[in-house]
Amino acid sequence: MTDALSLVDDWGPEKIVVVSHRRTGMKGVLVIDNTARGMGKGGTRMSPTVTVGEVARLARVMTWKWAGVDLFYGGAKAGIAADPASRDKEAILRAFARALSNEVPREYVMGLDMGLTESDAAIIQDELGDRGAAVGTPEHLGGVAYDRLGVTGYGVAEATDAAAQHLGLPLAGSRVAIQGFGAVGSAAAQRFAELGTTVVAVSTAHGALHNPTGLDVGDLLAARDEHGDHFVTRHYDGTPLPLGSELTVDCDILVPAALQDVICRTTAQHIKARLVVEGANLPTSPEAQFLLAERGIAVIPDFVANAGGVVAAAFAMDSRYSGFRPDTTTIFETISTRLRANTVTVLDEARRRETTPHTAGRTLAEERVRTAMRSRGRIPLA
């Protein structure tokens, strides 16, 4: 079991709240990492394997992500240890929301992450009787439909385009392998196709699909929508591969957009891509990052590449009590502008400091958070 006090360092967490409810069996945790630049904001996930350490780690990523994209919220994350397919999901969600009513929405606003849907966000709002309690609600309730719009995946593709141009790798015609074909991976694939790339591999939880001459993204999306994820890996125009093999196929650009900790040192030795763009949170271990750098493979960090979701969340936060929906055109334009600029800034900083983009990007984010902490009197002025 994680000792919560062992998680505390110079940045946070500022607050860890563990909650439970005996009748529903609900067990959950909220971690508010650092609020120097604004109130805690980050998604809420539901998974049987949720741990305090995992949620704290993800809350820290949110601290750097908000600072990296230069938006004024703080890092936070919540998790519910339950099966999202459970028949008791609604009762568990309501119990979780009630248990955190002291913190939500005054210190933390719930959002969508693994295992939660737009309808779940609406249930949280309903339980607390406050439109400000959650973002990511259905569009017909005034929310920003992240998954339908594909904002995170769109941002991943835009960041990739900026990185490819910066590295002298023309995106049009480049071969892209994508791990994951969920909300992030499929939206990224769709945008990649629009930008003229060739998607040569995708994967779901059921396996991977590879075609060195290119997969038809439109057909794959239609197949998934009609038959489910399992059908994607058996599609007619590709060769099924064992799950994980998509990370090491011959390609120019690799986008891990599914799970954390999938690229270790061993895997990094076999990656053939010239550019890795982290669509998922924490997919690449620190050892793998340095090994890839030694091999001349650039890695765009998660808190830069997949920040399209937090840009959209910032719009959703502003509109929680408004009678008007945020303009989606403005959201997409802002995602593109900010993520492209941040990608180039991080790559330039990495080159200047002679370090990895992760280290360079984290240093920039740390400087922004440290400045805010100092201004608020949370650390000495000297």
Side-chain angles (χ1 to χ4, degrees):
M1 179 179 292
T2 301
D3 177 0
L5 291 177
S6 70
L7 299 172
V8 178
D9 60 18
D10 290 344
W11 306 103
E14 296 173 5
K15 178 182 283 191
I16 299 176
V17 183
V18 177
V19 295
S20 64
H21 185 252
R22 184 173 180 181
R23 184 170 63 82
T24 61
M26 181 276 293
K27 294 186 291 184
V29 59
L30 165 65
V31 178
I32 297 177
D33 185 59
N34 188 297
T35 59
R37 287 172 54 91
M39 69 174 293
K41 179 70 193 83
T44 306
R45 63 174 42 192
M46 179 180 285
S47 166
T49 61
V50 160
T51 66
V52 174
E54 171 194 359
V55 175
R57 189 181 179 200
L58 292 167
R60 178 60 53 82
V61 171
M62 291 306 302
T63 295
W64 306 139
K65 193 175 292 188
W66 285 116
V69 79
D70 202 19
L71 293 171
F72 294 96
Y73 292 104
K77 203 80 173 179
I80 306 168
D83 184 352
S86 169
R87 291 181 297 178
D88 300 321
K89 183 180 185 181
E90 180 176 339
I92 292 169
L93 272 174
R94 290 184 180 276
F96 184 67
R98 286 195 306 272
L100 290 176
S101 59
N102 287 334
E103 287 77 23
V104 179
R106 186 171 60 88
E107 298 179 61
Y108 171 69
V109 175
M110 294 188 186
L112 302 184
D113 198 346
M114 183 174 65
L116 292 194
T117 67
E118 294 174 358
S119 295
D120 296 328
I123 286 170
I124 291 166
Q125 285 187 353
D126 182 71
E127 181 61 33
L128 296 181
D130 192 331
R131 284 184 62 191
V135 295
T137 53
E139 192 174 20
H140 60 261
L141 292 180
V144 177
Y146 304 132
D147 288 353
R148 184 182 65 77
L149 293 173
V151 290
T152 303
Y154 175 86
V156 168
E158 293 294 293
T160 303
D161 191 18
Q165 290 183 34
H166 189 271
L167 297 170
L169 172 64
L171 194 66
S174 292
R175 299 163 301 155
V176 182
I178 304 172
Q179 183 184 58
F181 205 63
V184 178
S186 62
Q190 191 168 13
R191 182 58 177 160
F192 279 130
E194 293 170 356
L195 292 170
T197 66
T198 301
V199 177
V200 297
V202 299
S203 68
T204 72
H206 303 278
L209 185 70
H210 177 233
N211 186 335
T213 63
L215 298 164
D216 188 319
V217 173
D219 278 356
L220 289 176
L221 290 169
R224 184 199 62 180
D225 292 344
E226 183 175 356
H227 302 290
D229 283 350
H230 67 283
F231 188 80
V232 171
T233 58
R234 300 202 304 267
H235 205 255
Y236 66 90
D237 65 350
T239 302
L241 296 177
L243 186 60
S245 299
E246 71 279 11
L247 295 170
T248 56
V249 299
D250 190 15
C251 63
D252 302 301
I253 299 166
L254 173 64
V255 180
L259 302 171
Q260 62 193 51
D261 299 321
V262 294
I263 301 179
C264 61
R265 182 176 180 85
T266 301
T267 304
Q269 291 173 337
H270 300 286
I271 286 175
K272 300 177 181 64
R274 292 176 56 190
L275 171 65
V276 176
V277 183
E278 295 186 328
N281 288 326
L282 305 169
T284 312
S285 74
E287 277 191 337
Q289 293 164 20
F290 283 104
L291 176 59
L292 290 169
E294 289 174 356
R295 295 185 59 206
I297 300 171
V299 182
I300 307 303
D302 50 2
F303 54 86
V304 174
N306 69 17
V310 302
V311 174
F315 279 96
M317 288 287 287
D318 283 350
S319 68
R320 284 177 298 156
Y321 297 108
S322 172
F324 299 92
R325 292 188 182 92
D327 177 61
T328 54
T329 300
T330 303
I331 292 174
F332 280 112
E333 289 175 349
T334 305
I335 290 171
S336 179
T337 300
R338 284 190 178 254
L339 267 62
R340 284 175 175 272
N342 286 349
T343 298
V344 173
T345 297
V346 168
L347 288 173
D348 282 341
E349 191 71 5
R351 181 177 298 170
R352 186 179 72 83
R353 295 175 181 266
E354 298 183 342
T355 187
T356 66
H358 277 83
T359 300
R362 163 101 175 246
T363 300
L364 288 170
E366 284 181 355
E367 289 172 353
R368 290 172 177 169
V369 174
R370 186 182 293 109
T371 299
M373 293 174 71
R374 187 173 292 117
S375 295
R376 290 176 178 268
R378 298 184 181 184
I379 57 176
L381 292 176

